[in-house]
């Protein structure tokens, strides 16, 4: 049967809804079924609550958002469920700083009541609250890779962490009985040949008893009924995953609840004991359903004795373990050809080679190019390239490199010109957490025929030091960022070690923010500023396809600039598939309305530029957007061009 034939579907805002847990009603008169669950949406994973809203109608409230802060880096979908108590508290596990932590939350207020971290544990799954809200029972992996049951307590005099099982078997998905005496769980123990059955553990003396063993398939996710008489669980004993119920005491009778076309999982009793919530896959959606269940009315299926086979593997390799051996392998070999009509019509070719070891701990990159034809110089003098080494084996990433470069882009003249540089560099990056990192670098170079701002040429030695701080919690979809913030602050100082004439410093700050005022509609904001100072300072130029979008390039310039950009992005065509020569789905075609403003200052005063426009684009997510913009511009921010808008075609990333 399809779920809609036998159960009541819950209206949820996502196509993937997992791990529902029933919550106690806020009042005796409430008729809205209250529960919480995980749902991926808007590039993140949310912990949502369905509860009574205005006029007694159901409303959905977000309690937590994973992937948006260092405290809740991520939830484990398909492997994890929240736990709920009769007082309305919710316990969840979430990744935090490379390992999992437990969080106790009041579902009514959303207040975080307690955070528990254990340095000896790596992954924590399926936490449940022991009756009385004095302890949390959960499944976890330690550094040996064993998955066992644990109990965390915070009452005075009690051990903070207690290991309930300790063996080579896989112990998963605990559920506490209402009287607090037993913990039911799934395990591959009892010679089931690697299959999972149901067991219960006495919290008084640690005794483990089998509740029942499937004759085939796996029994998983047991959950006690509110009166403690029954265990609902999911099983694949008859093929696909369906819901069953059995007595909480060990017995050989099983009663089937569902017989669905697709897999069913995540059973949980409602607090009145009259039904179960569960997740069912229907087509390409995972949705929460409610089904009334009276175990006494279900037909009994006697459980036959399963075939017993050893679970734990036998020793297959007895030689002493060997340490990891670094063996470099070829990752990349490619060539490239570039034409840049915006930089004097320059053309060029290059080749790149990259090597790394199996784990990706160490990487080598080599890039070679030749510009002798472009500048009409000697062939051997036209070679340029760089060799770099990166070490990513620790949290602190670092690298060193050597380079010989023969040309550079001069922003003041808007052209590629000849200037040879031979040097070495070192760089490092340190992440404080998933969202914040510190970057630094130093480069020492010997420059031949350096062109000073006063028009003179000289051969000099330079050293550049840079420092940057990045923050990024943006949430991405295939169409690009849809929420969160990205920020970057960097500074660099270049010192002329020979003449002292080429000293200059730069400061860059940028902030991007994304939000969705309506489903599928993104409001993207960007504010950036640049400051340069020193004797040999280079000016900043604004205007073009990306920074302050305009048909004319380099409209305003200065040694200090500020830009402000706002853009409303919305989908126009999505899911378009070409049928010839084969099925090929095109990227989303999106529309945009935008407003840009820019200000620049130098010794001569202030310049400004404003742009209003609209456009549409193909792509725009992790790939560059093929984009058409129509724009009106203004040099005084008041009077915009009255004639028809000017069109600009570009291939560039959306900010």
């Amino acid at each position: 049967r399809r779920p809609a034939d036998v159960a009541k579907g819950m209206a949820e805002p996502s196509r993937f809804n997992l791990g529902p847990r029933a919550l106690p009603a806020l009042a005796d008169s409430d008729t809205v079924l209250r529960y919480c669950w995980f749902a991926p949406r808007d590039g993140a994973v949310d912990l949502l609550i369905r509860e009574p809203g205005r006029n007694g109608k159901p409303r959905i409230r977000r309690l937590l958002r994973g992937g948006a802060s260092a405290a809740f880096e991520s939830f484990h979908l398909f492997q994890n469920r929240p736990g709920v108590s009769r007082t309305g508290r919710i316990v969840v596990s979430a990744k935090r700083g490379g390992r999992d932590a437990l969080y106790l939350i009041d579902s009514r207020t959303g207040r975080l009541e307690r955070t528990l971290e254990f340095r000896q544990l790596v992954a924590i799954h399926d936490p449940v609250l022991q009756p009385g809200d004095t302890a949390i029972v959960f499944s976890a992996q330690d550094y040996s890779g064993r998955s066992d049951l644990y109990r965390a307590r915070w009452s005075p005099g009690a051990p903070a962490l207690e290991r309930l099982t300790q063996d080579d078997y896989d112990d998963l998905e605990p559920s506490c009985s209402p009287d607090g005496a037993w913990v039911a769980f799934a395990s591959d123990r009892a010679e089931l040949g690697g299959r999972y059955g149901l067991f219960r553990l006495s919290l008084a003396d640690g005794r483990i008893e089998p509740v029942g063993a499937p004759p085939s398939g796996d029994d998983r996710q047991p959950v006690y009924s509110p009166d403690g008489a029954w265990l609902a669980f999911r099983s694949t004993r008859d093929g696909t995953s369906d819901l069953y119920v059995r007595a909480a005491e060990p017995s050989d009778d099983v009663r089937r609840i569902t017989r669905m076309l697709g897999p069913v999982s995540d059973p949980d009793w409602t607090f009145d004991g009259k039904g179960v919530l569960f997740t069912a896959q229907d087509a390409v959606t995972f949705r929460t359903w409610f089904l009334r269940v009276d175990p006494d009315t279900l037909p009994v299926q006697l459980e036959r004795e399963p075939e017993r086979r050893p679970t734990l593997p036998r020793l297959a390799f007895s030689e002493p373990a060997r340490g990891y051996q670094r063996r470099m392998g070829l990752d990349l070999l490619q060539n490239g050809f570039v034409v840049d009509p915006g930089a004097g019509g320059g053309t060029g070719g290059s080749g790149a080679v990259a090597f790394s070891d199996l784990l990706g701990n160490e990487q080598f990159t080599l890039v070679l190019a030749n510009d002798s034809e472009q500048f009409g110089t000697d062939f051997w003098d036209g070679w340029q390239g760089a060799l770099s080494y990166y070490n990513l084996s620790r949290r602190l990433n670092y690298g060193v490199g050597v380079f010989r470069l023969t040309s550079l882009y001069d922003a003041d003249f808007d052209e590629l010109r000849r200037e040879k540089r031979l040097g070495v560099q070192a760089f490092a990056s340190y992440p404080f957490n998933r969202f914040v990192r510190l970057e630094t670098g130093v480069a020492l170079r010997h420059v031949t025929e350096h062109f000073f701002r006063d028009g003179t040429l000289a051969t000099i030695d330079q050293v550049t030091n840079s420092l940057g701080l990045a923050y990024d919690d943006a949430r991405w979809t295939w169409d690009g960022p849809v929420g969160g913030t990205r920020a970057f602050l960097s500074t660099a100082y270049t010192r002329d070690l020979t003449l002292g004439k080429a000293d200059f410093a730069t400061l860059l700050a940028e902030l991007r923010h994304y939000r969705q005022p309506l489903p599928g509609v993104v409001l993207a904001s960007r504010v950036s500023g640049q400051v340069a100072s020193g004797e040999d300072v280079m000016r900043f130029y604004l205007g073009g396809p990306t920074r302050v979008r305009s048909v004319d390039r380099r409209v305003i310039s200065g040694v200090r600039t500020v830009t402000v950009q706002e853009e409303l992005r919305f989908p126009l065509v999505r899911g378009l598939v070409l049928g010839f020569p084969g099925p090929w789905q095109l990227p989303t075609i999106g529309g945009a309305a935008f407003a840009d403003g820019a200000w620049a200052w130098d010794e001569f005063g202030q310049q400004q530029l404003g742009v209003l426009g609209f456009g549409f684009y193909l792509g725009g997510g992790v790939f560059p957007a093929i984009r058409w913009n129509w724009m009106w511009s203004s040099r005084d921010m008041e009077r915009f061009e009255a004639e028809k808008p000017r069109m600009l075609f570009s291939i560039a990333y959306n900010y």
Side-chain angles (χ1 to χ4, degrees):
R1 308 288 293 278
R2 296 189 63 184
D5 297 336
V6 296
K8 177 184 178 182
M10 302 290 112
E12 296 165 325
S14 172
R15 290 173 55 190
F16 295 90
N17 304 276
L18 302 165
R21 288 287 196 181
L23 284 162
L26 295 175
D28 294 338
S29 59
D30 287 341
T31 59
V32 173
L33 180 58
R34 190 166 175 257
Y35 68 96
C36 64
W37 76 99
F38 289 129
R41 58 177 192 163
D42 300 337
V45 178
D46 294 337
L47 177 64
L48 302 177
I49 290 181
R50 181 183 186 266
E51 60 188 4
R54 293 182 178 179
N55 303 322
K57 296 182 179 180
R59 68 160 183 165
I60 295 175
R61 174 168 57 97
R62 187 178 72 205
L63 191 65
L64 289 176
R65 165 151 283 180
S69 68
F72 301 97
E73 288 187 20
S74 64
F75 301 116
H76 302 295
L77 286 182
F78 294 99
Q79 301 179 10
N80 197 14
R81 290 200 289 174
V84 170
S85 74
R86 300 197 70 86
T87 62
R89 289 182 173 89
I90 300 175
V91 58
V92 297
S93 69
K95 185 179 178 183
R96 172 176 176 159
R99 58 176 57 83
D100 288 347
L102 290 170
Y103 299 90
L104 187 62
I105 305 156
D106 188 327
S107 66
R108 294 176 175 85
T109 64
R111 184 172 66 90
L112 179 62
E113 296 185 350
R114 196 175 299 274
T115 302
L116 301 175
E117 295 185 81
F118 307 101
R119 306 295 296 182
Q120 65 269 46
L121 301 180
V122 181
I124 296 175
H125 299 287
D126 297 300
V128 292
L129 279 156
Q130 194 172 331
D133 296 353
T134 59
I136 300 171
V137 178
F138 55 93
S139 173
Q141 283 185 322
D142 61 10
Y143 281 92
S144 71
R146 292 182 174 89
S147 182
D148 288 307
L149 300 183
Y150 293 81
R151 177 167 57 176
R153 291 188 281 187
W154 49 86
S155 56
L161 182 66
E162 178 184 3
R163 192 164 189 160
L164 300 178
T165 62
Q166 187 169 4
D167 48 46
D168 291 331
Y169 297 107
D170 212 20
D171 299 331
L172 307 169
E173 302 155 349
S175 175
C176 288
S177 62
D179 59 6
W182 297 92
V183 174
F185 63 100
S187 178
D188 59 355
R189 61 183 64 234
E191 303 296 313
L192 293 177
R195 296 183 293 108
Y196 288 81
L198 301 186
F199 300 83
R200 67 175 186 173
L201 178 144
S202 170
L203 290 175
D205 56 18
R207 184 174 76 259
I208 296 177
E209 298 178 354
V211 177
S216 62
D218 296 316
D219 288 353
R220 300 284 297 266
Q221 294 183 312
V223 57
Y224 277 100
S225 61
D227 59 5
W230 302 96
L231 280 174
F233 61 98
R234 70 173 178 90
S235 178
T236 57
R237 59 180 62 206
D238 286 329
T240 58
S241 179
D242 270 299
L243 299 187
Y244 294 77
V245 67
R246 68 185 311 145
E249 295 291 329
S251 66
D252 60 355
D253 66 276
V254 176
R255 307 170 190 219
R256 187 167 187 165
I257 300 176
T258 65
R259 190 182 297 271
M260 299 292 188
L261 287 172
V264 177
S265 61
D266 303 332
D268 193 47
W269 295 89
T270 56
F271 272 81
D272 59 7
K274 297 181 179 180
V276 293
L277 290 170
F278 61 94
T279 300
Q281 180 185 351
D282 189 13
V284 290
T285 64
F286 292 82
R287 188 177 174 188
T288 302
W289 300 82
F290 168 73
L291 177 63
R292 291 197 172 275
V293 175
D294 182 359
D296 291 324
T297 64
L298 299 174
V300 176
Q301 301 177 3
L302 293 180
E303 195 170 59
R304 68 179 187 272
E305 179 66 18
E307 178 185 354
R308 303 288 178 176
R309 292 184 289 113
T311 295
L312 298 179
R314 296 179 180 178
L315 184 65
F317 191 79
S318 59
E319 295 183 16
R322 296 192 302 267
Y324 173 69
Q325 296 180 352
R326 183 187 67 168
R327 295 177 181 174
M328 307 303 292
L330 181 65
D331 289 335
L332 175 72
L333 177 62
Q334 70 174 27
N335 58 4
F337 178 76
V338 62
V339 177
D340 188 354
T347 63
S350 65
V353 183
F355 295 87
S356 73
D357 65 338
L358 181 63
L359 295 180
N361 287 341
E362 296 178 277
Q363 300 176 2
F364 289 91
T365 61
L366 173 64
V367 179
L368 291 175
N370 192 292
D371 64 2
S372 58
E373 183 177 353
Q374 180 180 1
F375 288 97
T377 60
D378 178 76
F379 175 78
W380 296 107
D381 191 48
W383 282 106
Q384 59 180 335
L387 175 64
S388 301
Y389 165 78
Y390 305 88
N391 190 299
L392 312 178
S393 61
R394 297 288 186 270
R395 184 170 186 172
L396 175 64
N397 299 165
Y398 64 89
V400 294
V402 296
F403 57 88
R404 183 184 189 269
L405 305 174
T406 60
S407 60
L408 58 78
Y409 170 70
D410 192 316
D412 287 341
F413 293 95
D414 190 25
E415 67 177 12
L416 284 171
R417 62 175 175 82
R418 190 81 168 172
E419 184 171 303
K420 292 185 288 185
R421 286 150 292 151
L422 178 65
V424 297
Q425 61 179 342
F427 35 85
S429 175
Y430 184 84
F432 296 105
N433 53 53
R434 179 178 173 179
F435 307 99
V436 182
R437 72 178 183 275
L438 185 68
E439 301 174 345
T440 185
V442 59
L444 179 65
R445 55 190 172 272
H446 178 72
V447 185
T448 303
E449 296 184 340
H450 176 72
F451 187 78
F452 292 99
R453 299 302 100 184
D454 61 8
T456 61
L457 296 172
T459 298
I460 61 173
D461 294 317
Q462 288 181 316
V463 61
T464 299
N465 297 281
S466 62
L467 182 67
L469 182 66
Y471 174 85
D472 190 349
D473 69 354
R475 303 184 303 277
W476 283 70
T477 67
W478 283 108
D479 298 330
V482 297
T485 300
R486 309 178 75 187
F488 187 65
L489 176 65
S490 70
T491 182
Y493 179 71
T494 297
R495 173 71 173 164
D496 178 358
L497 301 176
T498 305
L499 302 176
K501 290 178 57 177
D503 296 350
F504 69 95
T506 58
L507 178 67
L508 167 67
E510 181 169 312
L511 176 67
R512 307 181 189 186
H513 183 69
Y514 311 92
R515 65 186 181 92
Q516 289 187 291
L518 296 171
V521 178
V522 177
L523 182 62
S525 308
R526 176 164 70 173
V527 179
S528 62
Q530 303 173 100
V531 178
S533 63
E535 296 185 36
D536 202 43
V537 64
M538 184 177 292
R539 300 170 67 86
F540 304 113
Y541 295 85
L542 301 177
T546 55
R547 294 282 183 173
V548 191
R549 289 159 286 202
S550 65
V551 176
D552 300 318
R553 299 174 63 249
R554 304 159 58 86
V555 179
I556 63 175
S557 65
V559 294
R560 301 186 306 277
T561 66
V562 172
T563 59
V564 178
Q565 296 177 274
E566 288 282 346
E567 182 166 88
L568 191 69
R569 301 169 184 163
F570 45 88
L572 293 176
V573 179
R574 179 176 287 161
L576 183 63
V577 179
L578 297 180
F580 180 83
W584 179 51
Q585 182 169 327
L586 292 175
T588 298
I589 299 176
F594 57 86
D596 297 347
W599 296 262
W601 295 267
D602 57 16
E603 64 272 21
F604 303 108
Q606 175 185 313
Q607 305 172 57
Q608 57 189 13
L609 175 66
V611 178
L612 297 176
F614 64 93
F616 66 92
Y617 56 89
L618 184 68
V622 296
F623 301 105
I626 302 173
R627 183 161 176 155
W628 292 261
N629 286 334
W630 285 264
M631 299 165 292
W632 297 267
S633 61
S634 170
R635 293 297 299 271
D636 59 9
M637 298 292 189
E638 294 180 358
R639 294 182 301 274
F640 286 82
E641 299 171 346
E643 66 269 15
K644 64 180 181 180
R646 302 176 69 186
M647 193 273 284
L648 174 66
F649 171 77
S650 65
I651 301 177
Y653 286 97
N654 288 338
Y655 69 82

